Amino acid sequence: MTAVGDNWMFEKVALLGAGLIGSSLAWAIRARGLAGHVAAQSRSAESRATIAHLGFADSLHADPAAAVKDADLVIFCVPIGANAAVAAVAGPHISPGAIVTDVGSVKQAVIRDIGPCLPEGVEFIPGHPIAGTEHSGPEAGFGDLFEQRWCILTPVPGTPQAAVTKLTTFWERCGSTVTLMDAGHHDKVLAITSHLPHLIAYTIVGTAVDLEESTRAEVVKFSAGGFRDFTRIAGSDPVMWRDVFLNNRESVLEMLQRFSEDLTALQRAIRWGEGEVLEGLFRRTREIRRGVIDAHQAGSFDAREPERSGLGGSVPGTASPDEE
Ligand code: NAP
């Protein structure tokens, strides 16, 4: 049993994948008493040993089919590129009446990959918590990761309202504010707010790495400037981000095209000494930053390290609330 009480929202939650996001969900579910049983699935023996040691799951599985047995909530928490294979194994074993959701950073690809594998009578509601850190694996999770963060649900047309309401309540009880969105719109919005910033960070850090030896040493030495923040973002999980770009190709390329045009305009302003163009842009972007702070989306995790909050997890992680 996960916590004291018998008023579970769900009898059994199955987490397919239990890395940063899956383990954080497990901690949140246990701390808030949201389910009677948390089943965690992980493919590697090493991760399963870590999960057993951390103790956030009531049962532990290598096989996705065994994990989802009798679950009334199934949450896919694997990289986007792994969804199809995991769904093909787990899908036939999911009970009718269960709600199936996911946490993937891209939504149209998830609908394409998981949807066809689900049996009749299962409600599929894709989701995306806008919360994360640059750390990975079961030891990286902590139960208040989702506190004061958005969670976007992208139900397909025809999904019963009762199921959407139940999943909304689940995320709210994990500390998030839920908003509904069309999957295509989600992929466009996230392409500019999350995917492109990661691509830029990977590029800048990559460029610095390619500099000649003497300059590279000084890049690391003096990285206290803006570069340090880029290295944090560029330290994000390589597999997860490979899958994000491969599965949100069109939206990312569209945003990249617009970004390139704006960069060229800035290049021109610098070349021609157009200070008012630069200052005008920087003033507008400063306003945006203030808006982000006012919307409470710029805070750090410093005040809610897992050790202090008692919500589990062994590694608080560097503050990275804007990660996703
Ligand atoms: P993670 O810490 O790397 O954990 C990934 C989990 O998936 C692990 O349990 C891993 O199992 C399993 N896995 C990896 N590759 C697999 C494969 N090919 N087949 C089956 N299982 C596989 O990743 P995460 O950060 O939790 O991300 C999980 C999902 O959350 C992704 O879809 C990502 O888009 C989304 N997301 C991430 C963030 C973030 O900031 N990290 C934020 C919001 C949403 P083993 O450990 O046994 O290999």
Side-chain angles (χ1 to χ4, degrees):
M1 285 297 182
T2 58
V4 181
D6 54 5
N7 242 347
W8 318 117
M9 278 200 76
F10 295 96
E11 291 299 322
K12 175 179 170 182
V13 176
L15 301 166
L16 299 176
L20 168 71
I21 301 295
S23 65
S24 295
L25 271 170
W27 288 120
I29 290 166
R30 291 171 72 95
R32 293 159 173 84
L34 302 180
H37 183 105
V38 175
Q41 179 273 337
S42 203
R43 62 177 175 163
S44 75
E46 193 188 343
S47 290
R48 290 197 300 280
T50 304
I51 295 167
H53 173 71
L54 292 170
F56 59 71
D58 297 295
S59 64
L60 194 47
H61 309 268
D63 179 10
V68 301
K69 190 175 181 309
D70 299 327
D72 47 354
L73 177 63
V74 176
I75 310 180
F76 282 75
C77 303
V78 293
I80 299 285
N83 277 325
V86 174
V89 176
H93 302 273
I94 299 177
S95 309
I99 293 177
V100 176
T101 186
D102 80 301
V103 295
S105 310
V106 178
K107 296 280 48 93
Q108 291 176 111
V110 162
I111 293 171
R112 176 198 68 202
D113 292 345
I114 298 179
C117 302
L118 301 178
E120 282 290 312
V122 163
E123 305 305 347
F124 179 39
I125 307 171
H128 180 198
I130 312 297
T133 75
E134 71 275 33
H135 300 291
S136 313
E139 66 281 10
F142 53 103
D144 51 4
L145 176 64
F146 310 108
E147 278 285 341
Q148 293 183 44
R149 297 287 150 207
W150 287 101
C151 178
I152 301 174
L153 299 182
T154 63
V156 292
T159 308
Q161 185 55 44
V164 177
T165 302
K166 191 164 184 187
L167 191 61
T168 298
T169 305
F170 170 81
W171 277 108
E172 286 173 350
R173 288 178 64 179
C174 289
S176 299
T177 304
V178 174
T179 188
L180 303 186
M181 219 181 253
D182 163 75
H185 187 62
H186 166 280
D187 290 355
K188 268 199 168 42
V189 171
L190 269 291
I192 187 67
T193 58
S194 170
H195 307 168
L196 193 57
H198 276 78
L199 197 68
I200 292 166
Y202 283 124
T203 311
I204 289 183
V205 176
T207 303
V209 166
D210 291 343
L211 292 173
E212 68 265 27
E213 194 62 49
S214 57
T215 320
R216 197 189 314 157
E218 286 178 322
V219 165
V220 174
K221 185 170 166 189
F222 298 116
S223 66
F227 187 72
R228 183 183 53 191
D229 289 341
F230 281 117
T231 62
R232 177 181 58 73
I233 297 175
S236 299
D237 190 76
V239 171
M240 168 186 156
W241 284 97
R242 175 202 67 193
D243 286 359
V244 166
F245 292 118
L246 293 181
N247 287 279
N248 198 18
R249 202 186 308 243
E250 279 171 25
S251 296
V252 170
L253 289 177
E254 185 186 327
M255 296 305 166
L256 198 54
Q257 176 63 32
R258 293 183 66 146
F259 174 75
S260 306
E261 287 165 15
D262 292 344
L263 197 60
T264 304
L266 268 192
Q267 226 175 338
R268 189 179 185 285
I270 294 170
R271 175 165 295 120
W272 296 105
E274 295 169 352
E276 73 289 354
V277 173
L278 299 175
E279 194 180 328
L281 173 68
F282 301 161
R283 284 192 187 285
R284 277 198 292 139
T285 57
R286 186 184 235 191
E287 284 308 308
I288 296 284
R289 171 65 185 171
R290 288 180 177 153
V292 169
I293 293 169
D294 290 347
H296 304 293
Q297 295 300 306
S300 92
F301 276 84
D302 296 352
R304 29 194 173 117
E305 290 173 4
E307 286 84 354
R308 272 187 258 148
S309 65
L311 287 172
S314 58
V315 178
T318 324
S320 185
D322 53 346
E323 186 69 14
E324 258 295 286

